[in-house]
Amino acid sequence: MKIIALEEHFVPGRVSEAWKATADKQDFTVSLNSNQYARQLEDLEDIRIQAMDDAGIDIQVLSLPSPGVQNFEPADAILVARDFNDILKGAIKKRPDRFDGFATLPAPDPAAAAKELQRAVHELGLKGALLNGRVRERNMDHRDFDPIYEAAEALNAPLYLHPQLPPARVRDAYYSGTSKVADIMLSMGAIGWHYETGIQLLRMVLGGVFDRCPKLQVIVGHWGEVVLFYMDRIAQLNHAGLKLERPIIDYFKQNVYYTPSGIFSQQYLSRTIEIVGVNQMMFSQDWPYQSGIENGARAFLEQAELSVADKEAIAHGNWDRLVSGIQRSPNAETLRSAKP
């Protein structure tokens, strides 16, 4: 069973230096990725390949993790994103048997981001892009970002929505006052990242992104970033005067795919399938933040109480089907979507 993992991160040294020089100094992920995980994030040889073999993963789809370039000034975001994408193409060319990639987009300049997505797909052969959440105070449903979504829809290229830190005022209000270490953990992997990303996904639905771009496909990790498991309550918003074209659950079933991001819980797997079905499930480990036990990724899928066909669909089949539709040559629609 071939296993393709989608939320697997790579940070070249040049990008790490750009983070330290220009990123928000209050973003704890800069320090985390530049110190604790720097060696694993930069490595594309012995450490990473051995970890993949140990976990039973055949291919990693590489991407730049939080903070990405979401909170850079537009000019810096464009330079760093293009540099990362060119480096990523070289890494994949060197080991096409083990790596694929999501582009990074300069979201602070949405028109430039749309053009970079087109370049990433048409010239670099990447499989869509990963976005690290909102851009400063602009949430992901802001109409400023429509050029990105329009380009992704025209290209049939998926967007992976990845966590970033909640805004500083939210951290101060909700994730402070316990202890220094606990405050940081609460705002990040313990819960803050997941509420933040779940809210961004929900805002995209409620803000009409998928009505304006009905064929847009996005992927989220961590079993839907909390909100999926509260769909019974969220459904109350169907009666909130939003004038959406479909019931809210339909967007989560038709426009969103879900991965575990290394949270290898059979209960969560069963619950996710119960809500959205096997066809919306893909796989991820969230390297290097979740390294797991030996053969952990493969064991998780093999031990699932699913048919062989369903296991294959989650392991690689649904991903293969999704990316097989990516528009690899320019046409009038994609050219229009990439214009300012």
Side-chain angles (χ1 to χ4, degrees):
M1 180 170 59
K2 180 175 69 173
I3 297 179
I4 301 176
L6 306 185
E7 191 178 331
E8 320 307 314
H9 300 304
F10 166 52
V11 181
R14 292 211 299 267
V15 174
S16 182
E17 290 304 312
W19 276 348
K20 288 185 282 188
T22 61
D24 181 353
K25 301 303 186 294
Q26 299 302 312
D27 192 331
F28 308 124
T29 52
V30 173
S31 175
L32 183 77
N33 290 333
S34 298
N35 297 308
Q36 183 177 347
Y37 291 105
R39 188 178 177 201
Q40 295 105 309
L41 285 166
E42 187 171 0
D43 178 79
L44 289 173
E45 298 181 352
D46 296 342
I47 298 173
R48 187 181 297 263
I49 297 297
Q50 186 61 58
M52 292 170 65
D53 291 344
D54 289 345
I57 291 172
D58 296 286
I59 295 173
Q60 284 189 348
V61 181
L62 303 173
S63 59
L64 185 66
S66 179
V69 299
Q70 309 300 103
N71 299 314
F72 282 14
E73 293 300 320
D76 292 327
I78 292 169
L79 291 175
V80 175
R82 288 182 62 90
D83 191 32
F84 173 82
N85 295 335
D86 289 340
I87 294 171
L88 180 58
K89 177 188 177 182
I92 297 166
K93 184 177 181 180
K94 186 176 180 180
R95 289 301 307 266
D97 58 322
R98 303 309 300 265
F99 300 136
D100 214 325
F102 284 122
T104 286
L105 303 181
D109 185 333
K115 290 183 178 180
E116 182 61 12
L117 178 59
Q118 183 181 3
R119 185 181 81 96
V121 169
H122 289 161
E123 298 180 23
L124 306 183
L126 302 180
K127 298 297 197 305
L130 181 140
L131 296 172
N132 286 286
R134 68 186 195 286
V135 176
R136 292 196 173 96
E137 301 304 317
R138 285 183 293 174
N139 292 306
M140 296 188 71
D141 60 311
H142 199 291
R143 293 298 294 260
D144 283 357
F145 303 124
D146 279 1
I148 299 174
Y149 304 137
E150 291 165 0
E153 181 185 44
L155 291 162
N156 290 325
L159 300 176
Y160 201 114
L161 309 185
H162 185 266
Q164 68 159 290
L165 278 175
R169 287 181 294 178
V170 174
R171 299 201 302 269
D172 291 341
Y174 291 118
Y175 304 117
S176 64
T178 55
S179 74
K180 182 177 180 180
V181 174
D183 287 355
I184 294 173
M185 292 176 67
L186 278 171
S187 69
M188 295 170 67
I191 195 67
W193 275 341
H194 312 302
Y195 281 154
E196 168 69 18
T197 309
I199 287 293
Q200 294 302 321
L201 173 62
L202 185 57
R203 288 190 65 100
M204 289 177 69
V205 172
L206 303 182
V209 170
F210 299 107
D211 286 342
R212 299 192 293 274
C213 298
K215 295 181 181 179
L216 176 65
Q217 299 294 307
V218 303
I219 309 167
V220 295
H222 307 103
W223 304 110
E225 305 290 9
V226 182
V227 292
L228 185 64
F229 291 177
Y230 279 79
M231 204 47 54
D232 290 346
R233 300 285 287 185
I234 291 170
Q236 296 176 78
L237 293 168
N238 285 314
H239 312 292
L242 294 169
K243 299 182 180 179
L244 296 175
E245 296 179 3
R246 293 175 271 163
I248 289 171
I249 185 60
D250 286 4
Y251 298 95
F252 284 85
K253 288 182 176 181
Q254 298 166 11
N255 295 94
V256 188
Y257 289 85
Y258 306 88
T259 78
S261 306
I263 304 176
F264 294 150
S265 164
Q266 297 294 342
Q267 289 180 313
Y268 289 0
L269 172 63
S270 297
R271 178 64 174 143
T272 306
I273 291 173
E274 178 186 351
I275 298 170
V276 298
V278 167
N279 287 342
Q280 298 306 117
M281 296 293 302
M282 296 179 181
F283 192 79
S284 67
Q285 179 171 302
D286 200 6
W287 166 264
Y289 313 112
Q290 301 291 330
S291 54
I293 60 174
E294 185 175 350
N295 202 34
R298 186 168 298 278
F300 171 69
L301 286 175
E302 289 176 344
Q303 293 167 9
E305 295 183 358
L306 299 171
S307 68
V308 172
D310 285 349
K311 293 177 184 179
E312 293 278 358
I314 295 169
H316 68 89
N318 292 335
W319 168 252
D320 290 340
R321 171 173 49 83
L322 177 63
V323 300
S324 68
I326 292 177
Q327 174 62 250
R328 290 298 179 187
S329 58
N331 59 33
E333 186 177 8
T334 58
L335 290 173
R336 282 196 302 271
S337 297
K339 288 182 179 179

